[in-house]
Amino acid sequence: MNTRPNPVLITGCSSGIGRACALRMHRAGMLVYATARRPETLAGLEAEGIRTLRLDVTDEDSMRAAVDAVEAEHGSVGTLVNSAGFAASGAVEEIGLAGMRRQFETNVFGLARLTQLVLPGMRAAGTGTVVNISSIFGRYAAPGGGFYQASKHAVEALSDALRLETAAFGVRVVLIEPGPVRTTNFGATYVDNLPSVSEVYDEFRERTAEYFDAIYTGSRRTLAGTFTVHADDVARVVERAVLRQRPRARYTVGFLARSTIALRRLAPDAVFDHLFVRRVFPVPHKRAGQPTPAGAKPAGRRTAPLTCTTAPGKDPR
Ligand code: NAP
């Protein structure tokens, strides 16, 4: 199978992993097109000699224009790195339909649509690589990020199907599964996006914000914070995968990712929840004395019922 990494088209290069990939691959001598939905954030990369384009993964026209521009000059995209993404954090009950849709529009549909747009060119060239930045949360889930984790599970399934569908045409599909990555805006966005819909989750929300802040800023010692990796560590793995004739289907990045995904594979659900998730992540606790929600079944003698101050499903943002 022929390997031709150039040109490399990367999404989400305003910060974090996308930006680190652009810099690393450019410095390794690859022809990189760094993209972002806010092109002004790419000035630093442009100054390094990297080509830049506007690309918003929720805007079909901008995706088409970017792919057309690369194909007009080079025939086809050699490597697509789908890095753009964010976390719609918060308890499942607190995220409204619009919030759910926004999460999937960017993390799943945007990635899938852009991939569809580069595939005809890759097939015609008989070579190409699609790298999808997934997450440890594509392999397991924890409280407070259900829709983000669902989006990354969707990316994993799509990538597995696509890998098998495109192998015969010389197109490789690679999943990258990092644990927490500092030097990104991901943690700040995670905390900023926490919705405040129901007082039932007030304490959980506060502990989740503190926990993620501690991981990404190092304000307090946490297991996940101890094992964060740098965005360039992820970029190095992406570069290695892209240059391989036969890359693996998935690459985990960092000790935390490797160890927890291994535990997830081996342990039954209840054991994984008990040994890892409940010990490491904040979980909501039921507080005594909370009033019964309208229409709810009467609580049993030993249970204190939960309530919502705002109707579930109201979009918090
Ligand atoms: P980041 O620094 O926040 O970067 C996210 C990038 O995605 C930004 O450039 C952002 O642009 C861009 N983006 C968001 N919505 C977009 C849209 N509609 N169109 C185009 N670009 C858009 O965080 P990161 O850690 O580098 O995130 C990159 C990927 O890594 C994500 O898919 C994330 O899920 C994944 N990941 C991150 C971690 C982590 O701990 N950091 C761990 C595992 C996986 P703006 O600046 O305009 O918002």
Side-chain angles (χ1 to χ4, degrees), residues 11-18 36-38 41 55-58 82-86 106-107 133-136 148 152 178-187 189 216:
T11 64
C13 295
S14 68
S15 61
I17 295 168
R37 57 182 170 174
R38 294 174 297 129
T41 60
L55 193 161
D56 181 333
V57 299
T58 62
N82 282 308
S83 187
F86 74 100
T106 297
N107 290 15
I133 308 296
S134 177
S135 166
I136 45 173
Y148 174 66
K152 292 299 183 183
V181 187
R182 61 184 185 281
T183 61
T184 67
N185 291 335
F186 183 86
T189 308
Y216 286 91

CSV table of all heavy atoms in Angstrom, one decimal, residues 11-18 36-38 41 55-58 82-86 106-107 133-136 148 152 178-187 189 216, ligand 1:
chain,number,residue,atom,x,y,z
A,11,THR,N,-8.2,19.9,11.4
A,11,THR,CA,-9.2,20.8,11.9
A,11,THR,C,-8.9,21.2,13.4
A,11,THR,O,-8.2,20.5,14.0
A,11,THR,CB,-10.6,20.1,11.9
A,11,THR,OG1,-10.6,19.0,12.8
A,11,THR,CG2,-11.0,19.7,10.5
A,12,GLY,N,-9.5,22.3,13.8
A,12,GLY,CA,-9.4,22.7,15.2
A,12,GLY,C,-8.0,23.1,15.6
A,12,GLY,O,-7.5,22.8,16.6
A,13,CYS,N,-7.3,24.0,14.7
A,13,CYS,CA,-5.9,24.4,15.0
A,13,CYS,C,-5.8,25.7,15.7
A,13,CYS,O,-4.7,26.2,15.8
A,13,CYS,CB,-5.2,24.4,13.6
A,13,CYS,SG,-5.1,22.9,12.8
A,14,SER,N,-6.9,26.2,16.3
A,14,SER,CA,-6.8,27.5,17.0
A,14,SER,C,-6.0,27.2,18.3
A,14,SER,O,-5.4,28.1,18.9
A,14,SER,CB,-8.1,28.1,17.3
A,14,SER,OG,-8.8,27.3,18.2
A,15,SER,N,-6.1,26.0,18.8
A,15,SER,CA,-5.4,25.6,20.1
A,15,SER,C,-5.2,24.1,20.2
A,15,SER,O,-5.6,23.4,19.3
A,15,SER,CB,-6.3,26.1,21.3
A,15,SER,OG,-7.5,25.5,21.2
A,16,GLY,N,-4.6,23.7,21.3
A,16,GLY,CA,-4.6,22.3,21.7
A,16,GLY,C,-3.9,21.3,20.7
A,16,GLY,O,-2.9,21.6,20.1
A,17,ILE,N,-4.6,20.2,20.6
A,17,ILE,CA,-4.0,19.1,19.8
A,17,ILE,C,-3.9,19.4,18.3
A,17,ILE,O,-2.9,19.0,17.7
A,17,ILE,CB,-4.9,17.8,20.1
A,17,ILE,CG1,-4.8,17.4,21.6
A,17,ILE,CG2,-4.5,16.6,19.2
A,17,ILE,CD1,-5.9,16.3,22.0
A,18,GLY,N,-4.9,20.0,17.8
A,18,GLY,CA,-4.9,20.3,16.3
A,18,GLY,C,-3.7,21.2,16.0
A,18,GLY,O,-3.0,21.0,15.1
A,36,ALA,N,-9.2,26.5,11.1
A,36,ALA,CA,-9.9,26.9,12.3
A,36,ALA,C,-11.2,27.6,11.9
A,36,ALA,O,-11.2,28.2,10.8
A,36,ALA,CB,-9.1,27.7,13.2
A,37,ARG,N,-12.2,27.6,12.8
A,37,ARG,CA,-13.4,28.4,12.4
A,37,ARG,C,-13.1,29.9,12.6
A,37,ARG,O,-13.9,30.7,12.0
A,37,ARG,CB,-14.6,27.9,13.2
A,37,ARG,CG,-14.4,28.0,14.7
A,37,ARG,CD,-15.6,27.5,15.4
A,37,ARG,NE,-15.3,27.3,16.8
A,37,ARG,CZ,-16.2,27.0,17.7
A,37,ARG,NH1,-17.5,26.8,17.3
A,37,ARG,NH2,-15.9,26.9,19.0
A,38,ARG,N,-12.1,30.3,13.4
A,38,ARG,CA,-11.7,31.7,13.5
A,38,ARG,C,-10.3,31.8,13.0
A,38,ARG,O,-9.3,31.6,13.7
A,38,ARG,CB,-11.8,32.1,15.0
A,38,ARG,CG,-13.2,32.0,15.6
A,38,ARG,CD,-13.2,32.3,17.1
A,38,ARG,NE,-12.5,31.3,17.9
A,38,ARG,CZ,-11.5,31.5,18.8
A,38,ARG,NH1,-11.2,32.7,19.0
A,38,ARG,NH2,-10.9,30.5,19.4
A,41,THR,N,-7.0,33.1,14.6
A,41,THR,CA,-6.3,32.4,15.6
A,41,THR,C,-5.1,31.6,14.9
A,41,THR,O,-4.3,31.0,15.7
A,41,THR,CB,-7.2,31.4,16.3
A,41,THR,OG1,-7.7,30.5,15.3
A,41,THR,CG2,-8.3,32.0,17.0
A,55,LEU,N,-12.2,26.9,8.4
A,55,LEU,CA,-13.0,25.6,8.3
A,55,LEU,C,-13.8,25.5,9.6
A,55,LEU,O,-13.2,25.3,10.7
A,55,LEU,CB,-12.1,24.4,8.0
A,55,LEU,CG,-12.9,23.1,7.6
A,55,LEU,CD1,-11.9,22.2,6.9
A,55,LEU,CD2,-13.5,22.4,8.8
A,56,ASP,N,-15.1,25.5,9.5
A,56,ASP,CA,-16.0,25.3,10.6
A,56,ASP,C,-16.7,24.0,10.4
A,56,ASP,O,-17.3,23.8,9.3
A,56,ASP,CB,-17.0,26.4,10.7
A,56,ASP,CG,-18.0,26.3,11.9
A,56,ASP,OD1,-18.2,25.1,12.3
A,56,ASP,OD2,-18.5,27.3,12.4
A,57,VAL,N,-16.5,23.0,11.2
A,57,VAL,CA,-17.1,21.7,10.9
A,57,VAL,C,-18.6,21.6,11.0
A,57,VAL,O,-19.2,20.5,10.7
A,57,VAL,CB,-16.4,20.5,11.8
A,57,VAL,CG1,-14.9,20.5,11.6
A,57,VAL,CG2,-16.8,20.7,13.3
A,58,THR,N,-19.2,22.7,11.4
A,58,THR,CA,-20.7,22.7,11.4
A,58,THR,C,-21.2,23.5,10.2
A,58,THR,O,-22.4,23.8,10.1
A,58,THR,CB,-21.3,23.3,12.7
A,58,THR,OG1,-20.8,24.7,12.8
A,58,THR,CG2,-20.8,22.6,13.9
A,82,ASN,N,-8.9,14.9,12.0
A,82,ASN,CA,-10.2,15.4,12.6
A,82,ASN,C,-9.9,15.7,14.1
A,82,ASN,O,-10.1,14.8,14.9
A,82,ASN,CB,-11.3,14.5,12.4
A,82,ASN,CG,-11.9,14.5,11.0
A,82,ASN,OD1,-12.2,15.6,10.5
A,82,ASN,ND2,-12.0,13.3,10.4
A,83,SER,N,-9.6,16.9,14.4
A,83,SER,CA,-9.3,17.2,15.8
A,83,SER,C,-10.4,18.1,16.5
A,83,SER,O,-10.5,18.1,17.7
A,83,SER,CB,-7.9,17.9,16.0
A,83,SER,OG,-7.6,18.0,17.3
A,84,ALA,N,-11.1,18.9,15.7
A,84,ALA,CA,-12.0,19.9,16.2
A,84,ALA,C,-13.0,19.1,17.1
A,84,ALA,O,-13.6,18.1,16.7
A,84,ALA,CB,-12.8,20.6,15.1
A,85,GLY,N,-13.3,19.7,18.3
A,85,GLY,CA,-14.3,19.1,19.1
A,85,GLY,C,-14.3,19.8,20.5
A,85,GLY,O,-13.5,20.6,20.8
A,86,PHE,N,-15.4,19.5,21.2
A,86,PHE,CA,-15.5,20.1,22.6
A,86,PHE,C,-16.4,19.2,23.4
A,86,PHE,O,-16.9,18.2,22.9
A,86,PHE,CB,-16.1,21.5,22.5
A,86,PHE,CG,-17.6,21.5,22.2
A,86,PHE,CD1,-18.5,21.7,23.2
A,86,PHE,CD2,-18.1,21.3,20.9
A,86,PHE,CE1,-19.9,21.7,22.9
A,86,PHE,CE2,-19.4,21.3,20.6
A,86,PHE,CZ,-20.3,21.5,21.6
A,106,THR,N,-20.8,18.9,16.0
A,106,THR,CA,-19.4,19.2,15.9
A,106,THR,C,-18.6,17.9,16.0
A,106,THR,O,-17.8,17.6,15.1
A,106,THR,CB,-19.0,20.1,17.1
A,106,THR,OG1,-19.6,21.4,16.9
A,106,THR,CG2,-17.4,20.3,17.0
A,107,ASN,N,-18.8,17.1,17.1
A,107,ASN,CA,-17.9,16.0,17.3
A,107,ASN,C,-18.1,14.8,16.4
A,107,ASN,O,-17.2,14.0,16.1
A,107,ASN,CB,-18.0,15.5,18.8
A,107,ASN,CG,-17.5,16.5,19.8
A,107,ASN,OD1,-17.2,17.6,19.4
A,107,ASN,ND2,-17.3,16.1,21.0
A,133,ILE,N,-9.4,12.1,16.2
A,133,ILE,CA,-9.0,12.3,17.6
A,133,ILE,C,-10.3,11.9,18.4
A,133,ILE,O,-11.2,12.7,18.5
A,133,ILE,CB,-8.6,13.7,17.9
A,133,ILE,CG1,-7.5,14.2,16.9
A,133,ILE,CG2,-8.1,13.8,19.4
A,133,ILE,CD1,-6.2,13.4,17.0
A,134,SER,N,-10.2,10.7,19.0
A,134,SER,CA,-11.3,10.3,19.9
A,134,SER,C,-10.8,10.6,21.4
A,134,SER,O,-10.3,11.7,21.6
A,134,SER,CB,-11.5,8.8,19.7
A,134,SER,OG,-12.5,8.3,20.6
A,135,SER,N,-11.0,9.6,22.3
A,135,SER,CA,-10.7,9.9,23.7
A,135,SER,C,-10.8,8.6,24.4
A,135,SER,O,-11.4,7.6,24.0
A,135,SER,CB,-11.7,10.9,24.2
A,135,SER,OG,-11.7,11.0,25.6
A,136,ILE,N,-10.2,8.6,25.7
A,136,ILE,CA,-10.5,7.5,26.5
A,136,ILE,C,-12.1,7.4,26.7
A,136,ILE,O,-12.6,6.3,26.9
A,136,ILE,CB,-9.9,7.6,27.9
A,136,ILE,CG1,-10.0,9.0,28.5
A,136,ILE,CG2,-8.4,7.2,27.9
A,136,ILE,CD1,-9.5,9.1,30.0
A,148,TYR,N,-20.8,14.1,25.7
A,148,TYR,CA,-19.5,14.1,25.1
A,148,TYR,C,-19.0,12.6,24.9
A,148,TYR,O,-18.5,12.3,23.8
A,148,TYR,CB,-18.5,14.8,26.0
A,148,TYR,CG,-17.1,14.7,25.6
A,148,TYR,CD1,-16.7,15.4,24.4
A,148,TYR,CD2,-16.1,14.0,26.3
A,148,TYR,CE1,-15.4,15.3,24.0
A,148,TYR,CE2,-14.8,14.0,25.9
A,148,TYR,CZ,-14.4,14.6,24.7
A,148,TYR,OH,-13.1,14.5,24.3
A,152,LYS,N,-18.0,10.5,21.4
A,152,LYS,CA,-16.7,9.8,21.2
A,152,LYS,C,-16.9,8.3,20.9
A,152,LYS,O,-16.2,7.7,20.1
A,152,LYS,CB,-15.7,10.1,22.3
A,152,LYS,CG,-15.3,11.5,22.4
A,152,LYS,CD,-14.5,12.0,21.2
A,152,LYS,CE,-14.0,13.4,21.3
A,152,LYS,NZ,-13.4,13.9,20.0
A,178,PRO,N,-6.6,9.8,23.5
A,178,PRO,CA,-5.8,10.4,24.6
A,178,PRO,C,-6.6,10.3,25.9
A,178,PRO,O,-7.8,10.4,26.0
A,178,PRO,CB,-5.6,11.8,24.2
A,178,PRO,CG,-6.1,12.0,22.9
A,178,PRO,CD,-7.1,10.8,22.7
A,179,GLY,N,-5.8,10.3,27.1
A,179,GLY,CA,-6.4,10.6,28.4
A,179,GLY,C,-6.4,12.1,28.5
A,179,GLY,O,-6.3,12.8,27.4
A,180,PRO,N,-6.4,12.7,29.7
A,180,PRO,CA,-6.4,14.2,29.8
A,180,PRO,C,-5.2,14.8,29.2
A,180,PRO,O,-4.1,14.3,29.5
A,180,PRO,CB,-6.5,14.4,31.3
A,180,PRO,CG,-6.3,13.1,31.9
A,180,PRO,CD,-6.5,12.0,31.0
A,181,VAL,N,-5.4,15.9,28.4
A,181,VAL,CA,-4.3,16.5,27.7
A,181,VAL,C,-4.2,18.0,28.2
A,181,VAL,O,-5.1,18.8,27.9
A,181,VAL,CB,-4.5,16.5,26.2
A,181,VAL,CG1,-3.2,17.1,25.5
A,181,VAL,CG2,-4.8,15.1,25.7
A,182,ARG,N,-3.1,18.4,28.9
A,182,ARG,CA,-3.0,19.8,29.3
A,182,ARG,C,-2.5,20.5,28.1
A,182,ARG,O,-2.4,20.0,27.0
A,182,ARG,CB,-2.0,19.9,30.5
A,182,ARG,CG,-0.6,19.4,30.2
A,182,ARG,CD,0.3,19.4,31.5
A,182,ARG,NE,1.6,19.1,31.2
A,182,ARG,CZ,2.1,17.8,31.0
A,182,ARG,NH1,1.2,16.8,31.2
A,182,ARG,NH2,3.3,17.6,30.7
A,183,THR,N,-2.2,21.8,28.3
A,183,THR,CA,-1.9,22.7,27.1
A,183,THR,C,-3.0,22.7,26.0
A,183,THR,O,-2.7,22.8,24.9
A,183,THR,CB,-0.5,22.4,26.5
A,183,THR,OG1,-0.5,21.0,26.0
A,183,THR,CG2,0.6,22.5,27.5
A,184,THR,N,-4.2,22.5,26.4
A,184,THR,CA,-5.3,22.6,25.5
A,184,THR,C,-6.4,23.5,26.3
A,184,THR,O,-6.3,23.8,27.5
A,184,THR,CB,-6.0,21.3,25.3
A,184,THR,OG1,-6.6,20.8,26.5
A,184,THR,CG2,-5.0,20.2,24.8
A,185,ASN,N,-7.4,23.9,25.5
A,185,ASN,CA,-8.5,24.7,26.2
A,185,ASN,C,-9.6,23.7,26.6
A,185,ASN,O,-10.7,24.2,27.1
A,185,ASN,CB,-9.1,25.7,25.2
A,185,ASN,CG,-8.1,26.8,25.0
A,185,ASN,OD1,-7.2,27.1,25.8
A,185,ASN,ND2,-8.2,27.5,23.8
A,186,PHE,N,-9.4,22.4,26.5
A,186,PHE,CA,-10.5,21.5,26.7
A,186,PHE,C,-11.1,21.6,28.1
A,186,PHE,O,-12.3,21.6,28.3
A,186,PHE,CB,-10.0,20.1,26.4
A,186,PHE,CG,-11.0,19.0,26.6
A,186,PHE,CD1,-11.8,18.7,25.5
A,186,PHE,CD2,-11.2,18.3,27.8
A,186,PHE,CE1,-12.8,17.7,25.6
A,186,PHE,CE2,-12.1,17.3,27.9
A,186,PHE,CZ,-12.9,17.0,26.8
A,187,GLY,N,-10.2,21.6,29.1
A,187,GLY,CA,-10.6,21.6,30.5
A,187,GLY,C,-11.4,22.8,30.9
A,187,GLY,O,-12.5,22.8,31.5
A,189,THR,N,-13.1,24.7,28.8
A,189,THR,CA,-14.4,24.6,28.1
A,189,THR,C,-15.3,23.7,28.8
A,189,THR,O,-16.5,24.0,29.0
A,189,THR,CB,-14.2,24.1,26.6
A,189,THR,OG1,-13.2,24.9,26.0
A,189,THR,CG2,-15.4,24.2,25.8
A,216,TYR,N,-6.7,20.0,34.9
A,216,TYR,CA,-6.1,20.7,33.8
A,216,TYR,C,-5.2,21.9,34.3
A,216,TYR,O,-4.4,22.3,33.5
A,216,TYR,CB,-7.2,21.2,32.9
A,216,TYR,CG,-7.8,20.1,32.0
A,216,TYR,CD1,-8.8,19.3,32.5
A,216,TYR,CD2,-7.1,19.7,30.9
A,216,TYR,CE1,-9.3,18.2,31.7
A,216,TYR,CE2,-7.5,18.6,30.1
A,216,TYR,CZ,-8.6,17.9,30.6
A,216,TYR,OH,-9.1,16.8,29.8
B,1,NAP,P1,-9.1,22.6,22.5
B,1,NAP,O1,-7.8,23.3,22.8
B,1,NAP,O2,-10.3,23.2,23.1
B,1,NAP,O3,-9.3,22.5,20.9
B,1,NAP,C1,-10.5,22.3,20.3
B,1,NAP,C2,-10.5,22.8,18.9
B,1,NAP,O4,-11.7,22.5,18.3
B,1,NAP,C3,-10.4,24.4,18.9
B,1,NAP,O5,-9.5,24.7,17.9
B,1,NAP,C4,-11.8,24.8,18.6
B,1,NAP,O6,-11.9,26.0,18.0
B,1,NAP,C5,-12.2,23.7,17.7
B,1,NAP,N1,-13.6,23.6,17.4
B,1,NAP,C6,-14.6,23.6,18.2
B,1,NAP,N2,-15.8,23.6,17.5
B,1,NAP,C7,-15.4,23.7,16.2
B,1,NAP,C8,-16.1,23.8,15.0
B,1,NAP,N3,-17.5,23.9,14.9
B,1,NAP,N4,-15.4,23.9,13.8
B,1,NAP,C9,-14.1,23.9,13.8
B,1,NAP,N5,-13.4,23.9,14.9
B,1,NAP,C10,-14.0,23.8,16.1
B,1,NAP,O7,-9.1,21.1,23.0
B,1,NAP,P2,-8.2,19.9,22.5
B,1,NAP,O8,-7.9,19.1,23.6
B,1,NAP,O9,-7.1,20.3,21.6
B,1,NAP,O10,-9.4,19.1,21.6
B,1,NAP,C11,-9.1,18.5,20.4
B,1,NAP,C12,-9.7,17.2,20.3
B,1,NAP,O11,-9.1,16.3,21.3
B,1,NAP,C13,-11.2,17.2,20.6
B,1,NAP,O12,-11.9,16.3,19.7
B,1,NAP,C14,-11.3,16.6,22.0
B,1,NAP,O13,-12.5,15.9,22.2
B,1,NAP,C15,-10.1,15.6,22.0
B,1,NAP,N6,-9.6,15.2,23.3
B,1,NAP,C16,-9.1,16.1,24.2
B,1,NAP,C17,-8.6,15.7,25.4
B,1,NAP,C18,-8.1,16.7,26.4
B,1,NAP,O14,-8.0,16.3,27.6
B,1,NAP,N7,-7.7,17.9,26.0
B,1,NAP,C19,-8.6,14.3,25.7
B,1,NAP,C20,-9.1,13.4,24.8
B,1,NAP,C21,-9.6,13.9,23.6
B,1,NAP,P3,-12.3,27.4,18.8
B,1,NAP,O15,-11.1,27.9,19.4
B,1,NAP,O16,-12.9,28.3,17.7
B,1,NAP,O17,-13.4,27.0,19.8
